[in-house]
Amino acid sequence: MSYSEEGSNKLNELLEKNYDAEKGYKLAAQKVKNERLKAFFTERAQERYDFGHELKSEIRNFGENPDKGSSLAGDAHRSWMNLKASLSNDKDEAVLEETVRGEKAAVEEYEDILKDSNIPASTGNILMKQKNAIVASLNEVKTLERQA
């Protein structure tokens, strides 16, 4: 089985967004003062790095070429996160708010791709596992936000 061009494009977009999230989490870890948040963001950056490698491998398994680099939208989001954090009196809270927003968008993107009945089972399994990890992360960041 191979991917359709549309399916391949969607997976490559998801791959780029995982690169974006990894960079965003690294930036967030640098911005926050709270050590627990630094550790959380560092772990999430590694998780998204791992997600990217899983996606690249899956894309290659079906004879397609994975994209490299981050997206313009991700670069813009990191710039906004940077600006918002620098203007806010409570930087940790500002970074957490942006993280919640980004994770909600990621869950929606995964769900959109998972609706495609043409994706191979192996890809669906990877995407479901990654989406579930993002949902767990979103729940954790919401808890951290309430404690901040």
Side-chain angles (χ1 to χ4, degrees):
M1 181 174 206
S2 66
Y3 289 126
S4 66
E5 185 174 339
E6 179 185 357
S8 179
N9 288 341
K10 283 184 178 184
L11 282 180
N12 270 306
E13 286 173 21
L14 196 58
L15 176 61
E16 283 184 6
K17 289 178 181 171
N18 273 288
Y19 291 143
D20 293 339
E22 177 191 355
K23 289 178 184 177
Y25 276 128
K26 285 180 179 177
L27 174 65
Q30 294 169 1
K31 293 288 176 192
V32 296
K33 291 181 174 51
N34 180 303
E35 290 303 316
R36 185 170 171 206
L37 292 179
K38 280 187 188 297
F40 172 79
F41 290 135
T42 300
E43 289 168 11
R44 296 294 70 76
Q46 182 62 50
E47 178 179 68
R48 292 307 183 87
Y49 172 85
D50 294 341
F51 286 0
H53 278 280
E54 287 177 329
L55 290 171
K56 279 197 284 191
S57 198
E58 187 70 1
I59 291 167
R60 282 189 189 110
N61 285 343
F62 287 94
E64 299 295 329
N65 292 320
D67 289 342
K68 293 184 168 87
S70 63
S71 70
L72 186 57
D75 292 339
H77 178 73
R78 278 189 302 282
S79 295
W80 170 244
M81 183 187 253
N82 214 4
L83 175 65
K84 189 171 182 178
S86 67
L87 295 175
S88 173
N89 290 332
D90 188 351
K91 290 183 181 177
D92 290 2
E93 186 176 339
V95 172
L96 283 168
E97 286 173 10
E98 287 303 302
T99 302
V100 167
R101 190 173 71 81
E103 291 295 65
K104 285 180 178 178
V107 169
E108 289 175 13
E109 290 158 2
Y110 272 84
E111 287 175 348
D112 180 53
I113 295 173
L114 285 165
K115 289 177 189 171
D116 183 349
S117 61
N118 294 321
I119 63 169
S122 62
T123 304
N125 290 337
I126 289 169
L127 296 179
M128 184 59 76
K129 177 184 71 80
Q130 290 182 358
K131 183 196 93 155
N132 290 341
I134 294 169
V135 169
S137 170
L138 179 59
N139 291 334
E140 187 175 352
V141 81
K142 286 178 180 178
T143 300
L144 292 170
E145 188 176 32
R146 283 191 294 272
Q147 294 172 354

